[in-house]
Amino acid sequence: MSSNTPERTVSAVFKQENQIDAVVRRLLDRGVSRDRISVMGNNFQSQTRIAGFITKKDVILGGLRSGAIFGSLFGSFLGLLTGVGVLMIPFVGSVVSAGPIGAVLLGAASGALAGSAGAGLASLLITLGMEKEKATIYETRLKAGEFILMAEVPADRSGEFQLLIESAGGEEVHVSEMTLPHPCNGRCQGVEDLSPEVRSHLSEEAQKIFIERYNAVLDENNDGIKAEQAAWEAIHQQFDEDEKGIWSKAKVSI
């Protein structure tokens, strides 16, 4: 009996943007939810139009914009995904991301990642079970202008999706027995609902603010990824990280 709960992450590198477009549409056709597909790239054809739309301040802050806006800019698969925006990734630079990977990097939910010394995309991939050598290849190829795709799928269909991605031109294909951490399964009823990966990086006060913002945005648009991004943005606006990588130091208003 097939499970609908994603338990594996199939990842790959693609050389061309049109390959990504095709494989995303095939994944959606096969029933993979749009909030379980992540894409990253810094060489999209419409990058100049992004540069004119996203300000330097937006990029520095790592603020993620709505998929609908980016979809109208691109007229491509990015309009089909959620949580599309621009992120600054250590050692890589500004990257257009879509899907849950952006929220994970924005919140450093898998460890001390975004903005931390000695951390970057490879660190995240390693926490997801990828060997260091392959994680380094992914980061290097992303920096060189290629694209990364990650699809979270049921365990009993991981082979099917691996073949689909390979047949679509995916290289360096990797299957991990982990998925990207999501803060809550639906609405957060309390701190106990927060995933350990998220909770461990927030002080008690920050946890409350995260949940309040997460629930407010989720209630508004029923999009868990946008809710997670908005919650992390609220944390970034109100707190700084301490030496242990915990968002706990309230910012002083000037």
Side-chain angles (χ1 to χ4, degrees):
M1 182 175 177
S2 177
S3 168
N4 291 322
T5 303
E7 299 163 314
R8 300 284 188 275
T9 300
V10 184
S11 308
V13 178
F14 288 85
K15 290 182 178 178
Q16 305 295 332
E17 182 178 343
N18 62 346
Q19 293 175 311
I20 286 282
D21 190 296
V23 75
V24 165
R25 294 175 192 277
R26 289 177 66 185
L27 288 168
L28 292 170
D29 286 344
R30 294 283 187 92
V32 179
S33 172
R34 72 190 189 112
D35 62 358
R36 293 292 181 172
I37 301 173
S38 295
V39 174
M40 287 182 287
N42 62 4
N43 194 31
F44 289 101
Q45 292 177 0
S46 300
Q47 189 177 40
T48 54
R49 288 155 75 185
I50 291 179
F53 180 76
I54 301 293
T55 67
K56 184 177 180 182
K57 181 180 179 183
D58 289 329
V59 174
I60 292 173
L61 294 177
L64 303 184
R65 302 299 169 250
S66 78
I69 293 173
F70 272 79
S72 65
L73 282 176
F74 283 88
S76 72
F77 66 92
L78 288 177
L80 303 174
L81 302 178
T82 187
V84 184
V86 177
L87 281 175
M88 286 294 295
I89 301 179
F91 309 119
V92 177
S94 61
V95 170
V96 177
S97 70
I101 186 68
V104 173
L105 284 164
L106 181 64
S110 294
L113 295 171
S116 302
L121 176 63
S123 302
L124 169 64
L125 297 176
I126 291 169
T127 66
L128 289 173
M130 189 177 290
E131 52 273 12
K132 183 178 180 181
E133 293 76 12
K134 188 174 283 287
T136 301
I137 291 171
Y138 271 53
E139 185 172 281
T140 300
R141 291 184 65 167
L142 178 66
K143 190 173 182 179
E146 297 185 24
F147 305 90
I148 292 175
L149 172 110
M150 303 172 73
E152 299 170 66
V153 302
D156 59 1
R157 297 185 66 193
S158 60
E160 169 194 342
F161 289 113
Q162 181 178 349
L163 289 173
L164 183 156
I165 288 170
E166 288 174 346
S167 68
E171 301 177 7
E172 301 290 346
V173 178
H174 180 269
V175 180
S176 169
E177 295 187 359
M178 297 176 65
T179 58
L180 294 172
H182 293 254
C184 296
N185 183 16
R187 209 173 188 278
C188 287
Q189 300 302 324
V191 171
E192 64 280 357
D193 287 346
L194 277 178
S195 69
E197 295 91 346
V198 172
R199 188 168 62 242
S200 63
H201 289 278
L202 299 172
S203 67
E204 289 187 7
E205 182 62 26
Q207 290 171 9
K208 295 176 183 177
I209 290 172
F210 184 99
I211 290 172
E212 288 174 1
R213 183 62 179 150
Y214 179 90
N215 285 340
V217 175
L218 186 67
D219 291 344
E220 182 180 332
N221 58 36
N222 198 33
D223 189 323
I225 293 178
K226 290 180 182 177
E228 183 177 359
Q229 292 168 351
W232 279 117
E233 287 178 346
I235 295 301
H236 288 194
Q237 290 168 5
Q238 299 185 47
F239 296 90
D240 288 317
E241 287 182 282
D242 62 20
E243 61 280 359
K244 295 181 180 179
I246 298 173
W247 296 89
S248 63
K249 299 160 69 175
K251 290 185 176 180
V252 179
S253 299
I254 298 176

